């Protein structure tokens, strides 16, 4: 089952790009746009539905970019996908051996290039279990 309905893809794309543009505008307004802690505070305030659609669309794009059953990426409460080749879940446990969990604002910062995987990981914003616990080569999406 897809993380976004086909009928919602265009809305999700608009919401994702809107979030990205607002985040970039905030970053440009920072005293020091390279200040990691300031960039980690970037979280444009958008309606809940818009944030949800932005997350779902960006997860959908990651799923297209790196298909496979080997790693589950969870962005609660709005979506979870499986990506990358590798061992899939067994029939008794639907979760693959590699799982990555992120909050929505962390995921959107990574997907839009506001912060890097390394930066978010170092401060504990990414929970990852398994051998394939690093998505830095797949991000940002835009």
């Amino acid at each position: 089952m897809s993380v976004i309905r086909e009928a919602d893809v265009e809305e999700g794309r608009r919401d994702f790009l809107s979030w990205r543009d607002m985040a970039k505008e905030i970053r440009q307004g920072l005293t020091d746009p390279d200040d990691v802690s300031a960039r980690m505070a970037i979280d444009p305030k958008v309606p809940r539905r818009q944030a949800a659609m932005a997350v779902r669309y960006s997860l959908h794009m990651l799923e297209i970019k790196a298909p496979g059953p080997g790693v589950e990426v969870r962005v609660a409460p709005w979506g979870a996908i499986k990506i990358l080749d590798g061992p899939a879940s067994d029939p008794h446990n639907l979760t693959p051996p590699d799982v990555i969990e992120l909050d929505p604002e962390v995921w959107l910062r990574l997907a839009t290039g506001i912060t890097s995987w390394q930066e978010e990981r170092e401060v504990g914003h990414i929970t990852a279990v398994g051998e394939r616990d690093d998505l830095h080569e797949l991000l940002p999406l835009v």
Side-chain angles (χ1 to χ4, degrees):
M1 181 177 187
S2 180
V3 71
I4 191 169
R5 294 180 322 145
E6 188 174 329
D8 293 334
V9 169
E10 186 54 36
E11 177 185 356
R13 180 182 165 287
R14 282 191 310 268
D15 291 341
F16 176 69
L17 295 176
S18 176
W19 194 98
R20 178 203 63 188
D21 293 346
M22 286 186 278
K24 285 185 174 186
E25 189 174 310
I26 293 169
R27 183 178 181 176
Q28 290 173 348
L30 295 175
T31 306
D32 179 5
D34 293 324
D35 178 2
V36 175
S37 60
R39 286 187 290 115
M40 285 190 190
I42 294 175
D43 183 16
K45 299 305 174 205
V46 298
R48 182 175 170 83
R49 177 175 169 82
Q50 186 175 348
M53 294 304 288
V55 167
R56 289 179 182 135
Y57 175 79
S58 55
L59 286 172
H60 172 68
M61 296 309 298
L62 180 62
E63 194 173 30
I64 290 170
K65 188 174 187 177
V71 177
E72 186 166 290
V73 179
R74 300 175 183 165
V75 182
W78 293 315
I81 59 168
K82 292 181 182 173
I83 61 168
L84 298 172
D85 288 329
S89 54
D90 66 47
H92 304 291
N93 179 3
L94 298 179
T95 303
D98 300 305
V99 177
I100 298 170
E101 296 181 0
L102 311 100
D103 289 333
E105 66 278 2
V106 173
W107 169 249
L108 288 171
R109 284 194 303 264
L110 290 167
T112 58
I114 298 297
T115 55
S116 72
W117 189 265
Q118 180 73 19
E119 292 166 342
E120 296 283 3
R121 184 85 187 253
E122 283 178 2
V123 296
H125 291 170
I126 298 170
T127 302
V129 177
E131 294 176 12
R132 291 166 297 163
D133 63 352
D134 187 339
L135 301 181
H136 83 274
E137 292 181 5
L138 299 172
L139 300 169
L141 296 172
V142 292

Coordinates of all heavy atoms in Angstrom, one line a residue, residues 6-87:
E6 N -2.8 8.1 -5.1 CA -2.4 8.7 -6.4 C -3.1 10.0 -6.6 O -2.6 11.0 -7.2 CB -2.8 7.7 -7.5 CG -2.3 8.1 -8.9 CD -2.5 7.1 -9.9 OE1 -2.5 5.9 -9.6 OE2 -2.7 7.5 -11.1
A7 N -4.4 10.1 -6.2 CA -5.2 11.4 -6.3 C -4.6 12.5 -5.5 O -4.9 13.7 -5.8 CB -6.6 11.1 -6.0
D8 N -3.7 12.2 -4.5 CA -3.2 13.3 -3.7 C -1.7 13.6 -4.0 O -1.2 14.5 -3.3 CB -3.2 12.8 -2.2 CG -4.7 12.7 -1.7 OD1 -5.5 13.4 -2.2 OD2 -4.9 11.9 -0.7
V9 N -1.1 13.0 -5.0 CA 0.3 13.2 -5.3 C 0.5 14.7 -5.6 O 1.5 15.3 -5.1 CB 0.8 12.3 -6.4 CG1 2.2 12.7 -6.9 CG2 0.8 10.8 -5.9
E10 N -0.3 15.3 -6.5 CA 0.0 16.7 -6.9 C -0.2 17.6 -5.7 O 0.6 18.5 -5.5 CB -1.0 17.1 -8.0 CG -0.7 18.5 -8.5 CD 0.8 18.7 -9.0 OE1 1.4 17.7 -9.5 OE2 1.3 19.8 -8.8
E11 N -1.2 17.4 -4.8 CA -1.3 18.2 -3.6 C -0.1 18.0 -2.7 O 0.4 19.0 -2.2 CB -2.6 17.8 -2.9 CG -2.8 18.6 -1.6 CD -4.0 18.1 -0.8 OE1 -4.7 17.2 -1.2 OE2 -4.2 18.6 0.4
G12 N 0.3 16.8 -2.6 CA 1.5 16.5 -1.7 C 2.8 17.2 -2.3 O 3.6 17.8 -1.5
R13 N 2.9 17.2 -3.6 CA 4.1 17.9 -4.2 C 4.0 19.3 -3.9 O 5.0 19.9 -3.6 CB 4.0 17.6 -5.7 CG 5.1 18.2 -6.5 CD 5.0 18.0 -8.0 NE 5.8 18.8 -8.8 CZ 5.6 20.1 -9.0 NH1 4.6 20.7 -8.5 NH2 6.5 20.8 -9.7
R14 N 2.9 20.0 -4.1 CA 2.7 21.4 -3.8 C 3.0 21.7 -2.3 O 3.8 22.7 -2.0 CB 1.3 21.9 -4.1 CG 1.1 22.1 -5.6 CD -0.2 22.9 -5.8 NE -1.4 22.3 -5.1 CZ -2.2 21.4 -5.6 NH1 -2.0 20.9 -6.9 NH2 -3.2 20.9 -4.9
D15 N 2.5 20.9 -1.5 CA 2.8 21.1 0.0 C 4.2 20.9 0.3 O 4.8 21.7 1.2 CB 1.9 20.2 0.8 CG 0.4 20.6 0.7 OD1 0.1 21.7 0.3 OD2 -0.4 19.7 1.1
F16 N 4.9 19.9 -0.2 CA 6.3 19.7 0.0 C 7.1 20.8 -0.5 O 8.0 21.3 0.2 CB 6.7 18.4 -0.7 CG 8.2 18.1 -0.5 CD1 8.7 17.7 0.7 CD2 9.0 18.1 -1.6 CE1 10.1 17.5 0.8 CE2 10.4 17.9 -1.5 CZ 10.9 17.5 -0.3
L17 N 6.9 21.3 -1.7 CA 7.7 22.4 -2.3 C 7.4 23.7 -1.5 O 8.3 24.5 -1.3 CB 7.4 22.6 -3.7 CG 7.8 21.4 -4.6 CD1 7.4 21.6 -6.1 CD2 9.3 21.2 -4.5
S18 N 6.2 23.9 -1.0 CA 5.8 25.0 -0.2 C 6.6 25.0 1.1 O 7.2 26.0 1.5 CB 4.3 25.1 0.0 OG 4.0 26.1 0.9
W19 N 6.6 23.8 1.8 CA 7.4 23.7 3.0 C 8.9 24.0 2.8 O 9.5 24.7 3.5 CB 7.2 22.3 3.6 CG 7.7 22.2 5.0 CD1 6.9 22.2 6.1 CD2 9.0 22.0 5.5 NE1 7.6 22.1 7.2 CE2 9.0 21.9 6.9 CE3 10.2 21.9 4.9 CZ2 10.1 21.8 7.7 CZ3 11.4 21.7 5.6 CH2 11.3 21.7 7.0
R20 N 9.4 23.5 1.7 CA 10.8 23.7 1.3 C 11.1 25.2 1.1 O 12.1 25.7 1.6 CB 11.2 22.9 0.1 CG 12.6 23.2 -0.4 CD 12.8 22.9 -1.8 NE 12.0 23.8 -2.7 CZ 11.9 23.7 -4.0 NH1 12.5 22.7 -4.6 NH2 11.2 24.6 -4.6
D21 N 10.2 25.8 0.4 CA 10.4 27.3 0.1 C 10.4 28.1 1.4 O 11.2 29.0 1.6 CB 9.4 27.8 -0.9 CG 9.6 27.1 -2.3 OD1 10.7 26.5 -2.5 OD2 8.7 27.3 -3.1
M22 N 9.4 27.8 2.3 CA 9.3 28.5 3.5 C 10.6 28.3 4.4 O 11.1 29.2 5.0 CB 8.1 28.1 4.3 CG 6.8 28.7 3.7 SD 5.4 28.4 4.7 CE 5.0 26.7 4.2
A23 N 11.0 27.0 4.4 CA 12.2 26.7 5.2 C 13.4 27.4 4.7 O 14.3 27.9 5.4 CB 12.4 25.2 5.2
K24 N 13.6 27.4 3.4 CA 14.7 28.1 2.8 C 14.7 29.6 3.1 O 15.7 30.2 3.3 CB 14.8 27.9 1.3 CG 15.3 26.5 0.9 CD 15.4 26.3 -0.6 CE 16.1 24.9 -0.8 NZ 16.4 24.7 -2.2
E25 N 13.5 30.2 3.1 CA 13.3 31.6 3.4 C 13.8 31.9 4.8 O 14.4 32.8 5.1 CB 11.9 32.0 3.2 CG 11.7 33.5 3.3 CD 10.3 33.9 2.9 OE1 9.8 33.5 1.8 OE2 9.7 34.7 3.7
I26 N 13.3 31.0 5.7 CA 13.7 31.1 7.1 C 15.3 31.0 7.2 O 15.9 31.8 8.0 CB 13.1 30.0 8.0 CG1 11.5 30.3 8.1 CG2 13.7 30.0 9.4 CD1 10.7 29.2 8.7
R27 N 15.9 30.0 6.5 CA 17.3 29.9 6.6 C 18.0 31.1 6.1 O 19.0 31.5 6.7 CB 17.7 28.6 5.8 CG 19.2 28.4 5.9 CD 19.6 27.2 5.1 NE 21.1 27.0 5.3 CZ 21.7 26.0 4.8 NH1 21.1 25.0 4.1 NH2 23.0 25.9 5.0
Q28 N 17.5 31.7 5.0 CA 18.2 32.9 4.5 C 18.1 34.1 5.5 O 19.0 34.9 5.5 CB 17.6 33.3 3.2 CG 17.9 32.3 2.1 CD 17.1 32.6 0.8 OE1 16.2 33.4 0.7 NE2 17.6 32.0 -0.3
G29 N 17.1 34.1 6.3 CA 16.9 35.1 7.3 C 17.7 34.9 8.6 O 17.8 35.8 9.4
L30 N 18.4 33.8 8.7 CA 19.2 33.5 9.9 C 20.5 34.4 9.9 O 21.0 34.7 8.8 CB 19.7 32.1 9.9 CG 18.6 31.0 10.1 CD1 19.2 29.6 10.0 CD2 17.9 31.2 11.4
T31 N 20.9 34.8 11.0 CA 22.2 35.6 11.1 C 23.3 34.9 10.5 O 24.1 35.4 9.8 CB 22.5 35.9 12.6 OG1 21.3 36.5 13.2 CG2 23.7 36.8 12.8
D32 N 23.4 33.6 10.8 CA 24.4 32.7 10.2 C 23.7 31.5 9.6 O 23.4 30.5 10.4 CB 25.4 32.3 11.3 CG 26.5 31.3 10.8 OD1 26.5 31.1 9.5 OD2 27.3 30.8 11.6
P33 N 23.4 31.5 8.3 CA 22.7 30.4 7.7 C 23.4 29.0 7.8 O 22.8 28.0 7.6 CB 22.6 30.8 6.2 CG 22.8 32.2 6.2 CD 23.7 32.5 7.4
D34 N 24.7 29.0 8.2 CA 25.4 27.7 8.4 C 25.4 27.2 9.8 O 25.9 26.2 10.1 CB 26.8 27.9 7.9 CG 26.9 28.1 6.4 OD1 26.0 27.5 5.7 OD2 27.7 28.9 5.9
D35 N 24.8 28.0 10.7 CA 24.7 27.6 12.1 C 23.7 26.4 12.2 O 22.5 26.4 12.0 CB 24.1 28.7 13.0 CG 23.9 28.4 14.4 OD1 24.3 27.3 14.9 OD2 23.4 29.3 15.2
V36 N 24.3 25.2 12.6 CA 23.6 24.0 12.6 C 22.4 24.0 13.6 O 21.3 23.6 13.3 CB 24.6 22.8 13.0 CG1 23.8 21.5 13.2 CG2 25.6 22.6 11.9
S37 N 22.6 24.5 14.8 CA 21.5 24.5 15.8 C 20.4 25.4 15.3 O 19.2 25.1 15.5 CB 22.0 25.0 17.2 OG 22.6 26.2 17.1
A38 N 20.7 26.5 14.6 CA 19.6 27.4 14.1 C 18.9 26.7 13.0 O 17.7 26.8 12.9 CB 20.2 28.7 13.6
R39 N 19.6 26.0 12.1 CA 18.9 25.2 11.0 C 18.1 24.1 11.6 O 17.0 23.8 11.0 CB 20.0 24.7 10.0 CG 20.5 25.8 9.2 CD 21.4 25.3 8.1 NE 22.7 24.7 8.6 CZ 23.1 23.5 8.5 NH1 22.3 22.6 7.9 NH2 24.2 23.1 9.0
M40 N 18.5 23.5 12.7 CA 17.7 22.4 13.3 C 16.4 22.9 13.9 O 15.5 22.1 14.2 CB 18.5 21.6 14.3 CG 19.5 20.7 13.6 SD 20.2 19.7 14.8 CE 21.5 19.0 13.8
A41 N 16.3 24.2 14.1 CA 15.1 24.8 14.7 C 14.1 25.2 13.6 O 13.0 25.6 13.9 CB 15.5 26.0 15.5
I42 N 14.5 25.1 12.4 CA 13.6 25.4 11.3 C 12.5 24.4 11.2 O 12.7 23.2 11.0 CB 14.4 25.6 9.9 CG1 15.4 26.7 10.0 CG2 13.4 25.7 8.8 CD1 16.3 26.9 8.8
D43 N 11.3 24.9 11.3 CA 10.1 24.1 11.2 C 8.9 25.0 10.8 O 8.2 25.5 11.7 CB 9.8 23.4 12.5 CG 8.6 22.5 12.5 OD1 8.1 22.1 11.4 OD2 8.1 22.1 13.6
P44 N 8.8 25.4 9.5 CA 7.7 26.3 9.1 C 6.4 25.8 9.7 O 6.0 24.6 9.6 CB 7.7 26.2 7.6 CG 9.1 25.8 7.3 CD 9.5 24.9 8.4
K45 N 5.6 26.7 10.2 CA 4.3 26.4 10.8 C 3.3 26.4 9.6 O 3.0 27.4 9.0 CB 3.9 27.5 11.9 CG 4.9 27.5 13.0 CD 5.0 26.1 13.7 CE 6.1 26.1 14.7 NZ 6.7 24.8 14.9
V46 N 2.8 25.2 9.3 CA 1.8 25.0 8.3 C 0.7 24.2 8.9 O 0.9 23.6 9.9 CB 2.4 24.3 7.1 CG1 3.6 25.1 6.4 CG2 2.9 22.9 7.4
P47 N -0.5 24.3 8.2 CA -1.6 23.5 8.7 C -1.2 22.0 8.8 O -0.4 21.5 8.0 CB -2.7 23.7 7.7 CG -2.3 25.1 7.1 CD -0.8 25.1 7.1
R48 N -1.8 21.3 9.7 CA -1.5 19.9 9.9 C -1.6 19.1 8.6 O -0.8 18.2 8.3 CB -2.4 19.3 11.0 CG -2.2 17.9 11.4 CD -3.1 17.5 12.5 NE -3.1 16.1 12.8 CZ -2.1 15.4 13.4 NH1 -1.1 16.0 13.9 NH2 -2.2 14.1 13.6
R49 N -2.7 19.3 7.9 CA -2.9 18.5 6.6 C -1.7 18.8 5.6 O -1.3 17.9 5.0 CB -4.2 18.8 6.0 CG -4.4 18.1 4.6 CD -5.8 18.3 4.1 NE -5.9 17.9 2.7 CZ -6.1 16.6 2.3 NH1 -6.2 15.7 3.2 NH2 -6.1 16.3 1.0
Q50 N -1.3 20.0 5.6 CA -0.2 20.4 4.6 C 1.1 19.7 5.0 O 1.8 19.2 4.2 CB 0.0 21.9 4.6 CG 1.0 22.4 3.5 CD 1.0 23.9 3.4 OE1 0.2 24.6 4.0 NE2 2.1 24.3 2.7
A51 N 1.4 19.7 6.3 CA 2.6 19.0 6.8 C 2.5 17.5 6.5 O 3.5 16.9 6.0 CB 2.8 19.2 8.3
A52 N 1.3 16.9 6.7 CA 1.1 15.5 6.5 C 1.3 15.2 5.0 O 2.0 14.2 4.7 CB -0.3 15.1 6.9
M53 N 0.8 16.0 4.2 CA 0.9 15.7 2.7 C 2.3 15.9 2.3 O 2.8 15.2 1.4 CB -0.1 16.6 1.9 CG -1.5 16.3 2.2 SD -2.0 14.6 1.8 CE -1.9 14.6 0.0
A54 N 3.0 16.9 2.8 CA 4.5 17.1 2.5 C 5.3 15.9 2.9 O 6.1 15.4 2.1 CB 5.0 18.3 3.2
V55 N 5.0 15.3 4.0 CA 5.7 14.1 4.5 C 5.4 13.0 3.6 O 6.3 12.2 3.1 CB 5.4 13.8 6.0 CG1 5.9 12.4 6.3 CG2 6.0 14.8 6.9
R56 N 4.1 12.7 3.3 CA 3.7 11.6 2.5 C 4.3 11.7 1.1 O 4.8 10.7 0.6 CB 2.2 11.5 2.5 CG 1.6 11.1 3.8 CD 0.1 11.0 3.7 NE -0.4 10.6 5.0 CZ -1.4 11.2 5.6 NH1 -2.1 12.2 5.0 NH2 -1.8 10.8 6.8
Y57 N 4.3 12.9 0.5 CA 4.8 13.0 -0.8 C 6.3 12.7 -0.8 O 6.8 12.0 -1.7 CB 4.5 14.4 -1.4 CG 5.2 14.7 -2.7 CD1 4.6 14.1 -3.8 CD2 6.4 15.3 -2.8 CE1 5.3 14.3 -5.1 CE2 7.0 15.5 -4.0 CZ 6.4 15.0 -5.1 OH 7.1 15.2 -6.4
S58 N 7.0 13.3 0.2 CA 8.5 13.1 0.2 C 8.9 11.6 0.4 O 9.8 11.1 -0.2 CB 9.1 14.0 1.2 OG 8.6 13.9 2.5
L59 N 8.1 10.9 1.3 CA 8.3 9.5 1.5 C 8.1 8.8 0.2 O 8.8 7.8 -0.2 CB 7.4 9.0 2.6 CG 7.9 9.3 4.0 CD1 6.8 8.9 5.0 CD2 9.2 8.8 4.4
H60 N 7.0 9.1 -0.5 CA 6.7 8.6 -1.8 C 7.9 8.7 -2.8 O 8.3 7.8 -3.5 CB 5.4 9.2 -2.4 CG 5.1 8.8 -3.8 ND1 4.6 7.6 -4.1 CD2 5.1 9.6 -4.9 CE1 4.4 7.6 -5.4 NE2 4.6 8.8 -5.9
M61 N 8.5 9.9 -2.8 CA 9.6 10.2 -3.7 C 10.8 9.3 -3.3 O 11.5 8.8 -4.2 CB 10.0 11.7 -3.7 CG 8.9 12.6 -4.2 SD 8.3 12.1 -5.9 CE 9.7 12.2 -6.8
L62 N 11.0 9.1 -2.0 CA 12.1 8.3 -1.6 C 11.9 6.8 -2.0 O 12.8 6.1 -2.4 CB 12.3 8.4 -0.1 CG 13.4 7.5 0.5 CD1 14.8 7.9 -0.1 CD2 13.4 7.6 2.0
E63 N 10.6 6.4 -1.9 CA 10.3 5.0 -2.3 C 10.5 4.8 -3.7 O 11.0 3.7 -4.1 CB 8.8 4.8 -1.9 CG 8.3 3.4 -1.9 CD 6.9 3.3 -1.4 OE1 6.1 4.3 -1.6 OE2 6.6 2.3 -0.9
I64 N 10.3 5.8 -4.6 CA 10.5 5.7 -6.0 C 12.0 5.7 -6.3 O 12.5 4.9 -7.1 CB 9.9 6.9 -6.8 CG1 8.3 6.7 -6.8 CG2 10.4 7.0 -8.2 CD1 7.6 7.9 -7.3
K65 N 12.8 6.5 -5.5 CA 14.2 6.6 -5.7 C 15.0 5.4 -5.3 O 16.0 5.0 -5.9 CB 14.7 7.8 -4.9 CG 16.1 8.2 -5.2 CD 16.4 9.5 -4.4 CE 17.8 10.0 -4.7 NZ 18.1 11.3 -4.0
A66 N 14.5 4.7 -4.3 CA 15.2 3.5 -3.7 C 14.3 2.4 -3.3 O 14.1 2.1 -2.2 CB 16.0 4.0 -2.5
P67 N 13.6 1.8 -4.3 CA 12.6 0.8 -4.0 C 13.3 -0.5 -3.4 O 14.4 -0.8 -3.6 CB 12.0 0.4 -5.4 CG 13.1 0.8 -6.4 CD 13.8 2.0 -5.8
G68 N 12.5 -1.2 -2.7 CA 12.9 -2.5 -2.1 C 12.3 -2.7 -0.7 O 11.6 -1.8 -0.2
P69 N 12.5 -3.9 -0.2 CA 11.8 -4.3 1.1 C 12.7 -4.3 2.3 O 12.3 -4.6 3.4 CB 11.4 -5.7 0.8 CG 12.5 -6.2 -0.1 CD 13.0 -5.1 -0.9
G70 N 14.0 -3.8 2.2 CA 15.0 -4.0 3.2 C 15.0 -3.1 4.4 O 15.5 -3.4 5.4
V71 N 14.6 -1.8 4.2 CA 14.7 -0.8 5.3 C 13.3 -0.2 5.4 O 12.7 0.3 4.4 CB 15.7 0.2 5.0 CG1 15.8 1.3 6.0 CG2 17.1 -0.4 4.8
E72 N 12.8 -0.1 6.6 CA 11.6 0.6 6.9 C 11.9 2.0 7.4 O 12.7 2.2 8.3 CB 10.7 -0.1 7.9 CG 9.3 0.5 8.0 CD 8.3 -0.4 8.7 OE1 7.9 -1.4 8.1 OE2 8.0 -0.1 9.9
V73 N 11.3 3.0 6.8 CA 11.5 4.4 7.2 C 10.1 4.9 7.7 O 9.1 4.9 7.0 CB 11.9 5.3 6.0 CG1 12.1 6.8 6.5 CG2 13.2 4.8 5.4
R74 N 10.1 5.3 9.0 CA 8.9 5.7 9.6 C 9.0 7.2 10.0 O 9.9 7.6 10.7 CB 8.7 4.9 10.9 CG 8.6 3.4 10.8 CD 8.5 2.8 12.1 NE 8.5 1.3 11.9 CZ 8.7 0.4 12.9 NH1 8.9 0.9 14.1 NH2 8.6 -0.8 12.7
V75 N 7.9 7.9 9.6 CA 7.8 9.3 10.0 C 6.4 9.4 10.6 O 5.4 9.7 9.9 CB 8.0 10.3 8.8 CG1 7.8 11.7 9.2 CG2 9.3 10.0 8.1
A76 N 6.3 9.2 11.9 CA 5.0 9.2 12.6 C 4.5 10.6 12.8 O 5.4 11.5 13.1 CB 5.2 8.4 13.9
P77 N 3.3 10.8 12.7 CA 2.2 9.8 12.5 C 1.8 9.7 11.1 O 0.7 9.1 10.8 CB 1.1 10.4 13.3 CG 1.2 11.9 13.1 CD 2.7 12.1 13.1
W78 N 2.6 10.1 10.1 CA 2.0 10.3 8.8 C 2.5 9.3 7.7 O 2.0 9.3 6.6 CB 2.3 11.7 8.3 CG 1.5 12.7 9.0 CD1 0.1 12.5 9.4 CD2 1.9 13.9 9.6 NE1 -0.3 13.6 10.1 CE2 0.8 14.5 10.3 CE3 3.1 14.5 9.6 CZ2 0.9 15.7 10.9 CZ3 3.2 15.7 10.3 CH2 2.1 16.3 10.9
G79 N 3.4 8.4 8.0 CA 3.7 7.5 7.0 C 4.9 6.6 7.3 O 5.8 6.9 8.2
A80 N 5.0 5.5 6.7 CA 6.1 4.5 6.7 C 6.2 3.9 5.4 O 5.2 3.6 4.7 CB 5.8 3.5 7.8
I81 N 7.4 3.7 4.9 CA 7.7 3.0 3.7 C 8.8 2.0 3.8 O 9.5 2.1 4.8 CB 8.1 4.1 2.6 CG1 9.3 4.8 3.0 CG2 6.9 5.0 2.2 CD1 10.0 5.6 1.9
K82 N 8.9 1.1 2.9 CA 10.0 0.2 2.8 C 10.8 0.6 1.6 O 10.3 0.8 0.5 CB 9.5 -1.2 2.8 CG 8.9 -1.6 4.1 CD 8.4 -3.0 4.1 CE 7.7 -3.3 5.5 NZ 7.1 -4.6 5.5
I83 N 12.2 0.6 1.7 CA 13.1 1.0 0.6 C 14.3 0.1 0.7 O 14.5 -0.7 1.6 CB 13.5 2.5 0.7 CG1 14.3 2.7 2.0 CG2 12.3 3.4 0.6 CD1 15.0 4.0 2.1
L84 N 15.1 0.2 -0.4 CA 16.4 -0.5 -0.5 C 16.3 -2.0 -0.6 O 15.4 -2.6 0.1 CB 17.3 -0.1 0.6 CG 17.7 1.4 0.6 CD1 18.5 1.7 1.8 CD2 18.4 1.8 -0.7
D85 N 17.1 -2.6 -1.4 CA 17.2 -4.0 -1.4 C 17.8 -4.6 -0.1 O 18.4 -3.9 0.6 CB 18.1 -4.4 -2.6 CG 17.5 -4.2 -3.9 OD1 16.2 -4.3 -4.0 OD2 18.2 -3.9 -4.9
G86 N 17.5 -5.8 0.1 CA 18.0 -6.5 1.3 C 17.0 -7.4 1.8 O 15.9 -7.6 1.2
P87 N 17.3 -8.0 3.0 CA 16.3 -9.0 3.5 C 15.0 -8.3 3.9 O 15.0 -7.3 4.5 CB 17.0 -9.5 4.7 CG 18.2 -8.6 5.0 CD 18.4 -7.8 3.8

